[in-house]
Amino acid sequence: MLFWSKKEASRKFIDLIRRSSSWWANWDPSIQITAGDYGEIDTTSGQFIKEGNIYTSSDKSIADLAAQFQVVSEVALDKYIINSSTAKQHDLEADVNFNVTGFANACLKGQWKFNHSRGALLIMHMPSITRVPDEFLDKSLADGLLRDKTLVTRVYKCPAYALYLSNKTNETVSLALAADVPSIVAPGVSPGAGKGVKWVDDGIAGLLQKGYNDEAVFVPLYSIRKITKRKIRRESFDENAPRGDFWANVEAPWGFLDDDGEEEVIEYMR
């Protein structure tokens, strides 16, 4: 089954990536999610629904505290690839029919074999992280701010991405970010002059989304946390163990999903 509800497809993709990495995927990376955003996860689609941002919050106590701790940017990576356990990366076969000039010098390329279960793949080119400083998290926790909010603490941005949700057909998918060089070059013009870059693919049977821009405008991944009360078990009581509230990673607000993104209902025998 391929053409199921888009909301179920997005939730299944997000769930697979989260289970493989602890990061939350953005099904539509053109939708901006920023470090410092707060809101909730939509239980049907899995997408983040923004309510506000700590730096522009109408709550003066939040905005004033955030102003003391500006977003931190980290050095970009060459690439970041996440695939579910139902996909394995292989060496790119020589006979893959990309048929595109410039493929030999592709800045990013690979091949993935999926099995009969639903699988997910996310590729980012030159991704960089922006994050909310830990000092803000510590101080907001101490001051009791954002207690009921889900906070975006880290965000990956990149100029190029590809995401794929498989079709359960044991497909082998090849993807490359390659230079699109014209086959005929005008006299006096360098072969590299004015060349573009584009995603090329082969073996696609499921849902593929991809994008490229000269600037890092896409947000494929983000991390969210929420203030949670620490649980202490009586049988394993440790007087030196940390107590009180803490910023915890957010768990998925749904149960186990089947291959088509439907939440499975577990019936217990009486």
Side-chain angles (χ1 to χ4, degrees):
M1 179 180 180
L2 173 58
F3 298 106
W4 68 96
S5 162
K6 287 185 177 180
K7 288 188 175 180
E8 291 165 356
S10 64
R11 187 170 69 170
K12 182 61 178 177
F13 179 84
I14 291 165
D15 190 67
L16 287 168
I17 294 297
R18 189 189 63 83
R19 289 177 179 274
S20 298
S21 67
S22 78
W23 287 87
W24 287 77
N26 184 5
W27 179 248
D28 183 354
S30 65
I31 295 177
Q32 294 301 298
I33 299 175
T34 306
D37 284 350
Y38 54 84
E40 292 295 338
I41 294 293
D42 183 89
T43 57
T44 303
S45 67
Q47 284 287 79
F48 178 76
I49 306 300
K50 178 179 175 179
E51 179 184 334
N53 185 283
I54 59 175
Y55 297 102
T56 58
S57 177
S58 57
D59 186 327
K60 191 173 185 300
S61 58
I62 294 176
D64 286 350
L65 177 61
Q68 302 173 43
F69 306 103
Q70 293 300 308
V71 167
V72 176
S73 298
E74 299 183 358
V75 177
L77 304 173
D78 289 336
K79 62 182 177 181
Y80 187 24
I81 300 172
I82 301 172
N83 58 261
S84 63
S85 60
T86 50
K88 302 297 181 184
Q89 186 168 7
H90 291 184
D91 292 333
L92 195 64
E93 296 177 3
D95 62 350
V96 172
N97 183 30
F98 277 118
N99 191 29
V100 57
T101 304
F103 170 71
N105 296 319
C107 54
L108 179 58
K109 55 187 174 182
Q111 185 177 80
W112 290 264
K113 173 66 177 177
F114 293 83
N115 64 23
H116 62 278
S117 297
R118 194 76 68 186
L121 170 67
L122 174 62
I123 304 172
M124 294 183 291
H125 174 61
M126 296 294 292
S128 60
I129 290 179
T130 56
R131 62 178 178 85
V132 175
D134 292 339
E135 293 82 358
F136 172 84
L137 300 180
D138 294 340
K139 193 69 169 63
S140 61
L141 183 63
D143 292 352
L145 302 177
L146 297 165
R147 186 163 299 279
D148 299 319
K149 308 296 184 184
T150 294
L151 177 67
V152 177
T153 55
R154 293 182 295 168
V155 167
Y156 265 112
K157 298 193 73 172
C158 63
Y161 79 92
L163 63 84
Y164 181 73
L165 185 63
S166 76
N167 193 30
K168 304 190 298 182
T169 55
N170 297 291
E171 65 260 44
T172 297
V173 171
S174 302
L175 287 161
L177 187 62
D180 185 20
V181 183
S183 57
I184 300 177
V185 180
V189 177
S190 165
K195 69 179 181 182
V197 176
K198 68 176 183 179
W199 285 101
V200 290
D201 57 77
D202 185 75
I204 300 300
L207 296 175
L208 172 66
Q209 298 188 59
K210 54 193 177 182
Y212 175 81
N213 193 285
D214 290 337
E215 304 293 332
V217 298
F218 300 113
V219 184
L221 278 180
Y222 61 96
S223 177
I224 47 178
R225 298 169 76 178
K226 192 169 188 175
I227 295 176
T228 304
K229 188 171 292 295
R230 200 182 304 274
K231 297 179 180 178
I232 300 178
R233 297 180 179 178
R234 290 183 179 180
E235 62 272 19
S236 59
F237 179 75
D238 180 357
E239 62 179 13
N240 297 317
R243 289 173 172 75
D245 297 342
F246 70 109
W247 280 102
N249 291 328
V250 174
E251 297 295 324
W254 53 76
F256 182 81
L257 303 181
D258 65 18
D259 271 352
D260 294 323
E262 294 278 5
E263 190 170 358
E264 291 193 350
V265 178
I266 301 176
E267 297 182 357
Y268 294 95
M269 296 291 291
R270 292 186 177 181

